[in-house]
Amino acid sequence: MTYRPTATAAWKTLQTQAELASSERITDFFSQNPKRSSDMSVQCGELHLDFSKNLVSDQTWQALLELVEQSPLQEHRAAMFSGENINTTEDRAVLHAALRAEIGDQTVAAAAAESDQRVSLVKQQLNQVALVSEKIRSGSWVGSTGKAITDVINIGIGGSDLGPKLACSALQEFAHPTINLHFISNVDGAEILSTLKKLNPETTLVALASKTFTTQETLLNAKTTRNWFEQELGLKDAQTSSHFVGLTASRENALAYGIPNEQILEFAEWVGGRYSLWSSIGLSIAISIGFDKFEEMLAGAREMDLHFQTAPADKNMPVILALLGIWYNNFLGAQSNAVIPYCERLLLLPSYLQQLDMESNGKSTTLDGQQVNYDTGAILWGQTGTNGQHAFFQLLHQGTRLAPVDFIALAKDGMSNEEHHRVLLGNMLAQASALMCGQEAPAGEQHRYYPGNKPSNTLLLRELSAKNFGALVALYEHKVFVQGSIWDINSFDQWGVELGKKMANQLLADNDGQTADLDPSTKALSAYIESCQ
Ligand code: F6P
């Protein structure tokens, strides 16, 4: 029988529970069960999740766990890890977890030999990342005038940018002391031109990161960079020199572009763009923190993979986060999920997660091609605390919308000091508590009323090690997977981005923007822009 989440018994129970929730208080759940906080906390390696501050009664939690059992999650998870083509619209396997797997990890016996072969291929490909990054770090990779590399520009967009950029920022504690990393993604010329102005072409290496090697923005930024090498150094076709490496799943396209074969660091087609930081796309991470630490990051992600595959649903971190998201999104009318890291090095985490979550689960077609009649991916947004407290927290405390929050923090921080870290964490704990507890208004001062009952998760990383960072990213990858599986959608394609790309090409092909099949507003705007030139 065709699976539909809305047709399950658990879904119906949850609808009833949602009616009850309007009169429930999270704080009452704590009075009813003094062990709630420990009952609703889980550990995976050095990640600790407390999900007790949610508007989830015991009955609701049971129903959410039943939803997992009544969904095809178990089969989907096995299918993903064993390499079945679960990305059906692109007829591809989804195997980013293989990038951090070890021989023997495969849990589906039938696929074990194939899996071990895959792991060997990955090890070979990552070995190239190790060799190239080490040469660059040690100064033995030289530019066309014989000088060592001091600056690396990663040119890529989406998954070929966000993951490496986030990791380099998050793990800056371990950064190479003299090699600077730059990330260029936007086709906005001001970004690349102002970056190039600051750099010395003799000591600059470009990591051209693109799974397909066809992306408009990336190729235009690369062209501008090649022109810069030519103008500054007289170096024609710089892409054929030691100033360029290609990070791609298409050796063919990279070769056609002119990148020398031995400077192409390949990864497999079965790695989705937004899951590719673990592959050669992560070269800039390895350059920044060294390959040993890169491997630690992979080990952390692997730990989360194993946890995800083996922990029971009620102790399974990705499953728990996914279920809570579904509860608020599908039953309590929330439209968004805020992610607030109390750590400035994780500033880019919300924008990374936006691609991961919204490109994966921003879908409205079921796996068998029907239009969904329930909500899917929420709008993910966020900013670091305490900065957010002085910006949008007002709405979280007193606004009319339900916006569940994931608070993320480091229990210990090697880059901060005791005083700062105590104040930072104190703020986070206070905010989560204030959102839940609220406060009555003094008589006649309704504007000082805090309704409370606002839900949040608190995720603590023991410290921001490469390993814990890897586990954190893998946690959200699997959360997204669980939600997609319960919602019965394909989390691994991204057809929604194609129409805009096509129309941009159409518009660009037409100099004055007056192409007949553009809408009147777009034509008028094109004409206005033209008149300003
Ligand atoms: O915009 C869609 C997308 O395909 C993303 O999924 C991807 O990460 C990005 O473009 C960049 O693609 P590529 O790595 O092929 O340049």
Side-chain angles (χ1 to χ4, degrees):
M1 210 180 76
T2 314
Y3 164 77
R4 288 284 178 268
T6 46
T8 59
W11 195 274
K12 296 193 173 87
T13 311
L14 286 164
Q15 282 171 328
T16 311
Q17 288 302 127
E19 284 164 28
L20 298 175
S22 57
S23 57
E24 288 173 330
R25 301 279 310 171
I26 309 172
T27 44
D28 291 342
F29 299 147
F30 282 91
S31 327
Q32 288 152 16
N33 175 10
K35 279 172 50 248
R36 180 175 169 93
S37 157
S38 62
D39 285 354
M40 298 184 102
S41 289
V42 284
Q43 189 83 25
C44 171
E46 294 191 342
L47 268 57
H48 178 87
L49 171 69
D50 178 330
F51 61 103
S52 62
K53 293 192 188 76
N54 279 290
L55 187 51
V56 170
S57 65
D58 289 350
Q59 292 78 356
T60 298
W61 187 231
Q62 277 317 310
L64 285 167
L65 293 170
E66 278 159 26
L67 181 61
V68 172
E69 275 167 33
Q70 293 165 19
S71 78
L73 174 64
Q74 279 207 28
E75 301 92 88
H76 281 174
R77 181 171 49 195
M80 175 172 77
F81 280 96
S82 61
E84 284 177 36
N85 284 10
I86 62 166
N87 177 357
T88 45
T89 62
E90 296 178 323
D91 197 20
R92 271 186 205 148
V94 174
L95 278 163
H96 46 277
L99 296 169
R100 56 249 185 165
E102 293 295 342
I103 298 275
D105 271 359
Q106 180 53 253
T107 51
V108 179
E114 209 183 313
S115 160
D116 288 350
Q117 263 175 19
R118 233 172 359 237
V119 173
S120 305
L121 170 74
V122 166
K123 299 266 177 217
Q124 275 169 31
Q125 291 176 336
L126 288 182
N127 197 30
Q128 236 204 317
V129 174
L131 292 174
V132 171
S133 60
E134 196 36 50
K135 272 190 177 176
I136 295 166
R137 285 170 63 83
S138 64
S140 61
W141 183 292
V142 293
S144 53
T145 58
K147 293 192 177 158
I149 300 302
T150 58
D151 291 87
V152 176
I153 316 178
N154 186 85
I155 298 184
I157 197 162
S160 300
D161 166 69
L162 292 162
K165 190 162 62 181
L166 165 67
C168 289
S169 165
L171 302 175
Q172 58 192 261
E173 185 176 355
F174 314 109
H176 191 282
T178 55
I179 298 178
N180 303 308
L181 274 299
H182 311 267
F183 290 88
I184 298 294
S185 50
N186 202 322
V187 74
D188 177 350
E191 200 190 9
I192 180 76
L193 293 171
S194 57
T195 301
L196 293 177
K197 251 189 216 153
K198 292 181 266 175
L199 302 183
N200 175 359
E202 289 183 275
T203 58
T204 297
L205 175 89
V206 175
L208 202 43
S210 176
K211 179 175 175 183
T212 56
F213 243 74
T214 58
T215 303
Q216 181 199 49
E217 293 93 327
T218 299
L219 294 180
L220 181 51
N221 280 322
K223 182 177 145 199
T224 301
T225 313
R226 282 164 47 191
N227 291 343
W228 174 71
F229 279 110
E230 187 167 351
Q231 277 156 20
E232 300 292 317
L233 294 182
L235 186 64
K236 268 198 178 317
D237 295 326
Q239 76 279 17
T240 62
S241 76
S242 61
H243 289 280
F244 273 72
V245 291
L247 319 175
T248 188
S250 175
R251 182 175 291 275
E252 198 188 345
N253 286 353
L255 282 171
Y257 188 79
I259 309 280
N261 194 33
E262 61 289 359
Q263 285 164 224
I264 298 172
L265 280 67
E266 216 177 348
F267 61 98
E269 193 58 50
W270 38 253
V271 179
R274 52 192 174 274
Y275 301 88
S276 63
L277 80 159
W278 323 100
S279 72
S280 61
I281 288 288
L283 176 73
S284 51
I285 310 172
I287 294 171
S288 177
I289 64 175
F291 193 73
D292 288 353
K293 285 255 178 282
F294 185 85
E295 281 188 312
E296 281 178 29
M297 183 182 87
L298 298 179
R302 173 174 176 260
E303 188 165 80
M304 187 56 69
D305 295 338
L306 297 177
H307 167 84
F308 175 49
Q309 290 178 87
T310 55
D314 63 337
K315 297 275 175 256
N316 193 310
M317 243 185 233
V319 173
I320 292 168
L321 288 184
L323 288 177
L324 293 166
I326 287 177
W327 170 238
Y328 295 118
N329 188 64
N330 293 101
F331 299 95
L332 298 191
Q335 305 238 340
S336 77
N337 176 197
V339 175
I340 321 250
Y342 273 66
C343 171
E344 209 51 29
R345 275 121 72 206
L346 292 176
L347 172 67
L348 298 172
L349 184 65
S351 61
Y352 173 81
L353 293 180
Q354 276 177 337
Q355 188 201 17
L356 177 63
D357 198 319
M358 294 163 80
E359 194 166 72
S360 298
N361 284 344
K363 311 280 164 68
S364 49
T365 306
T366 62
L367 287 173
D368 61 354
Q370 305 300 309
Q371 175 74 25
V372 296
N373 59 359
Y374 45 87
D375 278 321
T376 60
I379 297 160
L380 193 147
W381 61 284
Q383 158 69 279
T384 50
T386 59
N387 298 9
Q389 288 173 210
H390 298 271
F392 53 80
F393 269 55
Q394 166 64 38
L395 182 147
L396 296 183
H397 286 287
Q398 292 187 315
T400 55
R401 299 190 184 269
L402 172 64
V405 178
D406 288 355
F407 288 104
I408 300 176
L410 318 179
K412 289 196 309 185
D413 188 353
M415 283 194 90
S416 184
N417 67 24
E418 207 188 317
E419 186 181 6
H420 278 273
H421 201 54
R422 206 166 50 80
V423 173
L424 181 72
L425 291 192
N427 269 283
M428 181 196 72
L429 294 172
Q431 289 298 328
S433 180
L435 284 168
M436 175 175 75
C437 298
Q439 198 175 68
E440 291 303 325
E445 293 186 76
Q446 185 61 18
H447 56 278
R448 290 174 65 187
Y449 173 56
Y450 295 82
N453 222 23
K454 315 268 187 186
S456 66
N457 294 309
T458 305
L459 180 66
L460 293 174
L461 278 61
R462 193 177 168 77
E463 58 190 347
L464 193 47
S465 60
K467 186 162 183 245
N468 292 344
F469 172 76
L472 172 69
V473 174
L475 165 63
Y476 277 94
E477 284 180 349
H478 295 320
K479 172 204 163 178
V480 166
F481 174 79
V482 175
Q483 292 190 329
S485 179
I486 292 178
W487 284 326
D488 191 35
I489 54 178
N490 180 355
S491 300
F492 300 104
D493 59 11
Q494 55 283 317
W495 294 101
V497 302
E498 293 305 321
L499 178 62
K501 286 186 194 171
K502 192 174 121 199
M503 289 181 72
N505 286 336
Q506 234 179 20
L507 210 142
L508 289 168
D510 173 27
N511 281 337
D512 63 0
Q514 297 310 298
T515 307
D517 58 358
L518 285 173
D519 65 85
S521 160
T522 306
K523 276 188 185 176
L525 288 167
S526 297
Y528 177 77
I529 293 168
E530 197 58 31
S531 74
C532 298
Q533 303 311 304

